[in-house]
Amino acid sequence: MGAYILRRLLLVIPTLIGIMVVNFVLVQFVPGGPVEQAIAQIQGGGDVFEGFAGQGSDTQQLDTQSNSFTDNYVGARGLPPEFIKELEEQFGLDKPPLERFLNMMWNYMRLDFGESYFRKIDVFDLVLEKMPVSITLGLWSTLIAYVISIPLGIRKAVKDGSRFDTWTSGAIIAAYAIPGFLFAILLLVLFAGGSYWQIFPLRGLTSDNWETLSLWGKAMDYLWHIVLPITAYTISAFATLTLLTKNSFLDEIKKQYVITARAKGLSESRVLYGHVFRNAMLIVISGFPAVFLSVFLGGSLIIETIFSLDGLGRLGFEATVARDYPIMFGTLFVFGLIGLLIGILSDLMYVLVDPRIDFEKREG
């Protein structure tokens, strides 16, 4: 097993590089880079213009006889080409794309994500600051999905074909079919003062008076704030897990060892929880990392943005809109690395739940 884990860890590096290559190449063809963003901010207000280093009084004059370099940037006319070049140098865009990519990957391998173009904050510190929010929400959603889905899936397997199984299947399919972002908006409209009830807060993870609350008050305030986002996070994972649990139990119930156990006179609960449960739960429990990954990656971007939660997903989205490449690629690198490591953890969960599984023999 050790050799298998080592091979998987070594594969993380080329896979992560491949992810970064694809996204880096795509970004080169997307219009509106950081220089254009800076120009738009400068022409929208003087404060941003004054914040750039190296700017002198001569930057207020336009050299009409200059080359057409500034024409490459929308709205750049009216700004000296020297200043545009200073912006490119400041953002590191004066180097060829290949050199920029190699420098970026070398720095990322040393966990040096650089500094934000527009916030003047170290990206690594920013990622560390936002990561607990996304991970906490992902863990809450995954745990709640398991707590609901496993008992419900077992009940549906035992009552297969009954009215209970039929109407719960309809509700589960409807839940699975609803996009997470649409369900999140629906929750806001219904329960966050949109058009009906003002039961839960509209945004954020804590109230304005958080610091003045007692320890118990802080816990209750936090739980009050996460009800709606966690519900929106959980909806699709809950549906998938319930059906997975039901089908897994149905497959095990039909096997010969269950028939033999019943023939020996064991009670139905003893057969179900003493024999079937461990085998049926193999695929469900071992899939915990994968479920967390799907919630963490799939829900964090949209749900955090809708509920104004200060996590990695929202950070990456805002960086993409602002063309803040260090933050954008830094969050992408972190998401990719977490995803690959959780994939390895998922394989380890299989072995932990059922030691008979040997990935090295399967590969051979």
Side-chain angles (χ1 to χ4, degrees):
M1 189 63 185
Y4 171 79
I5 295 175
L6 180 60
R7 286 196 296 270
R8 287 292 303 272
L9 288 173
L10 291 176
L11 281 174
V12 166
I13 298 175
T15 306
L16 195 55
I17 291 175
I19 294 172
M20 300 300 292
V21 166
V22 171
N23 286 274
F24 185 85
V25 171
L26 290 175
V27 164
Q28 307 310 307
F29 297 98
V30 176
V35 174
E36 285 190 334
Q37 291 291 325
I39 291 172
Q41 292 180 18
I42 290 168
Q43 295 185 334
D47 292 339
V48 178
F49 184 79
E50 293 169 2
F52 285 100
Q55 153 192 0
S57 60
D58 58 339
T59 58
Q60 304 299 325
Q61 301 174 359
L62 174 63
D63 184 4
T64 56
Q65 303 300 323
S66 64
N67 56 33
S68 60
F69 174 78
T70 56
D71 291 341
N72 294 327
Y73 297 99
V74 177
R77 299 177 182 85
L79 291 177
E82 294 82 6
F83 180 68
I84 303 298
K85 290 180 180 179
E86 285 184 15
L87 286 178
E88 283 201 323
E89 291 175 1
Q90 182 175 342
F91 294 144
L93 300 176
D94 56 326
K95 301 179 178 67
L98 179 59
E99 182 180 349
R100 284 191 280 121
F101 177 78
L102 293 177
N103 289 337
M104 181 183 72
M105 291 307 301
W106 170 248
N107 291 330
Y108 280 15
M109 291 301 176
R110 297 180 289 126
L111 296 181
D112 178 10
F113 296 157
E115 189 179 78
S116 167
Y117 284 162
F118 304 110
R119 299 191 187 189
K120 301 303 179 184
I121 302 175
D122 187 79
V123 176
F124 185 75
D125 294 338
L126 199 58
V127 169
L128 288 181
E129 178 187 338
K130 310 298 184 184
M131 188 183 296
V133 174
S134 297
I135 291 180
T136 302
L137 292 173
L139 285 175
W140 271 113
S141 300
T142 306
L143 289 172
I144 291 174
Y146 268 81
V147 168
I148 296 174
S149 299
I150 291 178
L152 181 58
I154 295 173
R155 183 70 175 172
K156 285 175 62 62
V158 173
K159 299 290 186 180
D160 184 43
S162 65
R163 291 181 61 186
F164 172 81
D165 180 46
T166 301
W167 74 262
T168 52
S169 294
I172 289 170
I173 293 172
Y176 183 76
I178 299 176
F181 75 92
L182 185 60
F183 189 67
I185 295 173
L186 178 64
L187 291 176
L188 288 177
V189 171
L190 291 177
F191 303 111
S195 299
Y196 296 89
W197 302 282
Q198 179 82 48
I199 300 175
F200 298 102
L202 183 62
R203 58 174 62 88
L205 287 176
T206 57
S207 300
D208 295 336
N209 62 337
W210 164 264
E211 297 296 336
T212 64
L213 298 175
S214 63
L215 182 61
W216 174 255
K218 289 181 178 179
M220 291 297 99
D221 183 72
Y222 172 74
L223 293 176
W224 179 50
H225 277 76
I226 67 173
V227 169
L228 295 187
I230 291 297
T231 304
Y233 262 101
T234 307
I235 188 72
S236 60
F238 147 77
T240 304
L241 271 174
T242 302
L243 294 178
L244 179 63
T245 303
K246 175 192 173 182
N247 293 332
S248 181
F249 265 80
L250 285 178
D251 289 341
E252 291 296 325
I253 288 173
K254 296 176 183 178
K255 290 184 178 179
Q256 184 62 42
Y257 74 89
V258 177
I259 299 175
T260 303
R262 286 171 174 166
K264 290 181 178 179
L266 296 179
S267 64
E268 190 64 23
S269 61
R270 180 72 181 276
V271 172
L272 190 62
Y273 295 102
H275 292 75
V276 176
F277 187 83
R278 184 176 186 274
N279 295 326
M281 283 295 98
L282 171 62
I283 189 172
V284 178
I285 295 175
S286 59
F288 183 92
V291 174
F292 167 76
L293 181 63
S294 65
V295 174
F296 177 70
L297 296 181
S300 60
L301 170 61
I302 298 176
I303 303 301
E304 287 177 11
T305 303
I306 291 175
F307 288 98
S308 299
L309 305 178
D310 209 10
L312 273 182
R314 183 184 174 194
L315 176 67
F317 171 75
E318 291 177 347
T320 302
V321 172
R323 301 297 192 269
D324 198 338
Y325 290 164
I327 296 181
M328 187 173 72
F329 285 114
T331 54
L332 177 65
F333 183 87
V334 171
F335 274 125
L337 182 60
I338 291 176
L340 293 171
L341 293 178
I342 287 181
I344 299 175
L345 180 60
S346 182
D347 289 346
L348 293 178
M349 289 289 290
Y350 276 103
V351 178
L352 181 63
V353 175
D354 189 351
R356 296 172 297 176
I357 296 178
D358 191 335
F359 286 103
E360 293 184 5
K361 290 182 179 179
R362 290 174 58 186
E363 286 189 344

